Amino acid sequence: MATCYDPLLDNEPELACTMAASVKQRIAFGERAGQKVRRIGSGFGYEGERPELTGPRCASLGGFSLHANTHVPAHRRDQLERLIRYMARGAVSLERLAEDANGDLVYSFIKLSPLALLEKLAALVPLPRVHLVRYAGWLAPHSQLRGAIIPTPRQQGGDGEEAKTGTPVWSWAGLLGRVCALDMATCPICRRGVLWIIAAMTQESVITRLLRHLKLVSVPPPIAPARSRPDTFDWIA
């Protein structure tokens, strides 16, 4: 960062160390901390390696294949669904994961210990409050030309009036009805009146007295202590 301040390093030092090691292709913790990840075979992208053409707009290199000879017509929604399902697959395939005689886990061309595998998986966790998809140019959120290229519901084949743009404004009763399925807009006694917020109690002593007066539980349940960190990783196998 420009200010040389990394809040992730201060708040979550283990996660920051794990992500830094994954970017550098090194091991963060354990007996091989700081060493490079062991790879099987010649690796990927060594000097003199050339891709092998396997078909029209198809190439293979180092065990990875690129297929760019398929297109989806605009009217074939079934093909578009298969493409989206293919792109939304998980990043880790259990079919490519195996265990060797020494107890290490072999995934494709990479050989990892159980702890190192957890490090790499932890580095895939998105950071809090960080957008995973970013748009620039005409597709940027505040671009003045965004409305000229985004199709409307009517252009997409939908029926009805044009959808309103902008963030919807929800009332407190609407939010409770949407999330908790509670009808807070109608009086439960007369079934005709409208409920309004009279006061919001935030003091613990007042809330406790009200709950006791209503003969409800006023003491929260005890919080279970955190579990200790396991020493072995037998559950991975």
Side-chain angles (χ1 to χ4, degrees):
M1 303 179 63
T3 58
C4 298
Y5 169 68
D6 187 2
L8 183 63
L9 183 60
D10 294 340
N11 301 329
E12 299 291 341
E14 293 81 6
L15 181 58
C17 181
T18 298
M19 297 186 65
S22 296
V23 173
K24 299 177 182 179
Q25 297 295 324
R26 295 183 180 273
I27 303 299
F29 306 101
E31 299 178 354
R32 302 186 64 253
Q35 301 182 17
K36 291 185 176 181
V37 177
R38 292 171 293 184
R39 297 183 177 273
I40 302 175
S42 59
F44 177 76
Y46 65 91
E47 184 178 0
E49 187 176 15
R50 294 181 178 273
E52 178 184 358
L53 300 179
T54 57
R57 299 183 182 89
C58 300
S60 178
L61 177 64
F64 297 88
S65 60
L66 174 64
H67 188 282
N69 198 40
T70 302
H71 70 282
V72 179
H75 62 281
R76 294 301 304 270
R77 309 300 294 181
D78 55 338
Q79 295 184 9
L80 179 60
E81 180 181 357
R82 288 198 298 268
L83 176 61
I84 295 176
R85 288 181 179 274
Y86 173 78
M87 297 174 60
R89 292 189 307 174
V92 179
S93 175
L94 296 180
E95 298 177 355
R96 299 184 179 181
L97 185 63
E99 183 178 0
D100 61 4
N102 298 326
D104 291 332
L105 301 178
V106 180
Y107 184 83
S108 255
F109 306 101
I110 302 177
K111 189 175 183 180
L112 302 172
S113 64
L115 180 60
L117 176 62
L118 293 180
E119 294 178 7
K120 304 309 174 187
L121 294 179
L124 298 178
V125 178
L127 296 179
R129 297 176 296 277
V130 174
H131 295 287
L132 302 182
V133 180
R134 297 180 180 271
Y135 295 96
W138 285 22
L139 292 176
H142 296 285
S143 175
Q144 299 180 356
L145 302 176
R146 180 181 174 88
I149 59 176
I150 298 298
T152 62
R154 181 174 301 175
Q155 293 174 346
Q156 295 179 355
D159 299 331
E161 301 179 356
E162 299 290 341
K164 297 181 180 180
T165 58
T167 303
V169 179
W170 292 86
S171 63
W172 64 274
L175 289 174
L176 288 176
R178 179 182 177 89
V179 178
C180 303
L182 298 177
D183 186 8
M184 301 300 297
T186 306
C187 178
I189 300 177
C190 64
R191 296 295 180 181
R192 290 180 297 178
V194 180
L195 298 180
W196 297 91
I197 297 180
I198 300 177
M201 304 299 177
T202 58
Q203 297 181 0
E204 182 180 358
S205 58
V206 177
I207 296 176
T208 303
R209 291 177 57 186
L210 290 175
L211 292 176
R212 290 178 179 177
H213 177 73
L214 297 174
K215 297 181 179 180
L216 298 176
V217 179
S218 60
V219 179
I223 301 177
R227 294 178 299 177
S228 60
R229 180 176 299 178
D231 298 332
T232 60
F233 298 89
D234 298 335
W235 52 272
I236 298 180

